[in-house]
Amino acid sequence: MNKNRKIKTMLVLALAGSITASIPVFAREPRFARSDEEWATLEDNNLEYGEIEDLIAEYNATVRSNEVALAKFKRDYGRTNTEVSDKYRENAQEILDNLDDPDPSDPTYVAMLSSVATARATAQNLLSSADSTLEDADIIRLGYEQAEKTLAQTATTNMISYKSGQIAIEVAKGNLELANIALNTANAKLNAGTGTNIDVLNAKEKVLNAQNAVNKAISDNNTVLRRLQVMTGWSYNASPNVGDIPAPDMDRTFDASADLSKALENNYTLKINEKKLANASSDSDKQSLKLTVEDNKKNIATALVVAAQNIASAKESYNYANSFASLQETNLATANQRFSLGMISKPELDTQRITTENAKRALEQSRYAINQAIANYDWAIKGLAPTS
């Protein structure tokens, strides 16, 4: 077990309270639920793209806390909507049975009178909830499962952002190098009498701005990494080895119409609202929830179409970036020939070299954009399509 993850998991259990004693100490699932090889993969110091969902399921603090909360809900309120309603009424009656009118001669009479009024209001709210609640254990469970999958989706996005951010740092460094080349050129022109101090000052400002951009890119990406590793079970100051993100399948087709039935079947919000509709007793609740369910279905269908369109747009951007990178490669080859013939200066050659390198980096970032677009589509199918 990775030491930092062990510390993190134990902290989660401590925060969850004494009722966590029945939960395994180091992971959500019992050891036999996974093979030794699977556990070894999860417990090493490598953060791989393909294991994010399992890491969230086993080690995320919110997931673990929600698991405890679900167990507590079942214990306190039962599983069915009827049991939940009955428990609200029972709690209200218990409050009312324990109320005594305060003695007017008591020095604390005013305060006690206020407490009694508050207790009666609480009891009344519980009785009102008993009549109106649509909750049951399945709805709570679905909500927590949705939260878990949303965390996994966010972690996936963070990992893609982190890998893309690493390239953004290199792009920023390339821009800094270009700014320094421009500054050296401005100084050379000033010394030769063909430039001005204003030109040098402007070039220095661009260098400063470029350096600030490098620092910001590094800081922003470190923040993304810390957020990612804490979500997946490492401590904040740990140093996991973040793996590569597989290249997207450029030949995969995306048919929103064909995938819609699966997206509807899996959608958590839709399932929760359908369960609420099944629990509803009043005509107004039933009518409102029927409209909500229909609206959910329409929005899921729209979201899936948009997600497919975003993939197509990301691929178009990738193709453009690929063409631009190829053009810059050709320009660099030409620049090298011209430099060897003394037709251009070293700064001009370096400028083209950096421009070519940044074009290649932009191509790699556009690949990650395809990864993100495909991930969004897949998460929509797996139950997270927006419903409003």
Side-chain angles (χ1 to χ4, degrees), residues 270-289:
L270 179 59
K271 286 192 285 190
I272 288 171
N273 286 330
E274 287 177 333
K275 193 72 171 66
K276 287 181 178 179
L277 176 57
N279 289 340
S281 57
S282 72
D283 290 339
S284 60
D285 281 344
K286 288 180 180 180
Q287 185 61 30
S288 175
L289 284 164

Side-chain angles (χ1 to χ4, degrees), residues 53 139 141-150 263-275 296 300 379-385 387:
E53 281 193 74
I139 288 176
R141 174 184 57 80
L142 287 169
Y144 288 155
E145 286 181 5
Q146 181 179 30
E148 177 179 332
K149 295 304 180 184
T150 301
L264 291 171
E265 178 185 352
N266 293 334
N267 191 270
Y268 287 100
T269 300
L270 179 59
K271 286 192 285 190
I272 288 171
N273 286 330
E274 287 177 333
K275 193 72 171 66
N296 288 164
I300 291 168
W379 283 114
I381 293 176
K382 289 192 282 188
L384 298 182
T387 56

Side-chain angles (χ1 to χ4, degrees), residues 27 79 95 109 111 155-156 170 220 268 276-277 279 292 299 309:
R79 295 176 178 272
I95 291 173
Y109 174 72
T156 298
E170 296 306 312
D220 289 348
Y268 287 100
K276 287 181 178 179
L277 176 57
N279 289 340
T292 297
N299 288 327
Q309 291 172 343

Side-chain angles (χ1 to χ4, degrees), residues 166-178:
Q166 288 182 312
I167 300 173
I169 292 171
E170 296 306 312
V171 170
K173 289 180 178 178
N175 291 335
L176 175 59
E177 194 174 350
L178 287 173

Side-chain angles (χ1 to χ4, degrees), residues 369-385:
I370 296 176
N371 281 111
Q372 184 63 69
I374 292 176
N376 291 342
Y377 185 90
D378 288 340
W379 283 114
I381 293 176
K382 289 192 282 188
L384 298 182

Side-chain angles (χ1 to χ4, degrees), residues 153-298:
Q153 179 187 35
T154 301
T156 298
T157 297
N158 283 341
M159 185 165 179
I160 295 172
S161 296
Y162 172 69
K163 301 303 287 190
S164 182
Q166 288 182 312
I167 300 173
I169 292 171
E170 296 306 312
V171 170
K173 289 180 178 178
N175 291 335
L176 175 59
E177 194 174 350
L178 287 173
N180 277 313
I181 290 172
L183 175 58
N184 291 335
T185 300
N187 279 320
K189 287 182 177 181
L190 179 65
N191 292 333
T194 58
T196 67
N197 284 318
I198 294 296
D199 294 332
V200 173
L201 289 175
N202 288 336
K204 285 183 177 179
E205 182 180 5
K206 290 180 179 179
V207 169
L208 180 61
N209 291 338
Q211 182 61 65
N212 289 337
V214 171
N215 295 339
K216 185 177 187 302
I218 293 173
S219 176
D220 289 348
N221 215 38
N222 284 338
T223 298
V224 172
L225 175 59
R226 299 292 177 258
R227 187 180 299 123
L228 170 64
Q229 67 190 46
V230 169
M231 290 181 71
T232 50
W234 278 267
S235 62
Y236 181 82
N237 58 353
S239 299
N241 304 313
V242 182
D244 293 328
I245 295 174
D249 181 0
M250 302 296 282
D251 295 326
R252 178 181 167 187
T253 58
F254 299 87
D255 188 338
S257 296
D259 291 330
L260 178 58
S261 60
K262 190 178 297 182
L264 291 171
E265 178 185 352
N266 293 334
N267 191 270
Y268 287 100
T269 300
L270 179 59
K271 286 192 285 190
I272 288 171
N273 286 330
E274 287 177 333
K275 193 72 171 66
K276 287 181 178 179
L277 176 57
N279 289 340
S281 57
S282 72
D283 290 339
S284 60
D285 281 344
K286 288 180 180 180
Q287 185 61 30
S288 175
L289 284 164
K290 284 179 181 178
L291 293 174
T292 297
V293 166
E294 290 306 311
D295 190 55
N296 288 164
K297 291 178 179 179
K298 292 177 183 177

Side-chain angles (χ1 to χ4, degrees), residues 85-193:
S85 295
D86 289 345
K87 189 62 179 180
Y88 281 143
R89 292 189 180 91
E90 180 185 326
N91 290 343
Q93 192 60 50
E94 184 177 349
I95 291 173
L96 294 174
D97 289 344
N98 287 296
L99 285 181
D100 290 320
D101 292 329
D103 183 353
S105 63
D106 193 306
T108 62
Y109 174 72
V110 174
M112 293 176 66
L113 199 62
S114 176
S115 296
V116 169
T118 300
R120 290 188 186 280
T122 300
Q124 187 57 49
N125 287 336
L126 286 170
L127 291 172
S128 177
S129 296
D131 293 332
S132 63
T133 185
L134 302 174
E135 284 186 332
D136 59 29
D138 279 343
I139 288 176
I140 301 298
R141 174 184 57 80
L142 287 169
Y144 288 155
E145 286 181 5
Q146 181 179 30
E148 177 179 332
K149 295 304 180 184
T150 301
L151 285 166
Q153 179 187 35
T154 301
T156 298
T157 297
N158 283 341
M159 185 165 179
I160 295 172
S161 296
Y162 172 69
K163 301 303 287 190
S164 182
Q166 288 182 312
I167 300 173
I169 292 171
E170 296 306 312
V171 170
K173 289 180 178 178
N175 291 335
L176 175 59
E177 194 174 350
L178 287 173
N180 277 313
I181 290 172
L183 175 58
N184 291 335
T185 300
N187 279 320
K189 287 182 177 181
L190 179 65
N191 292 333

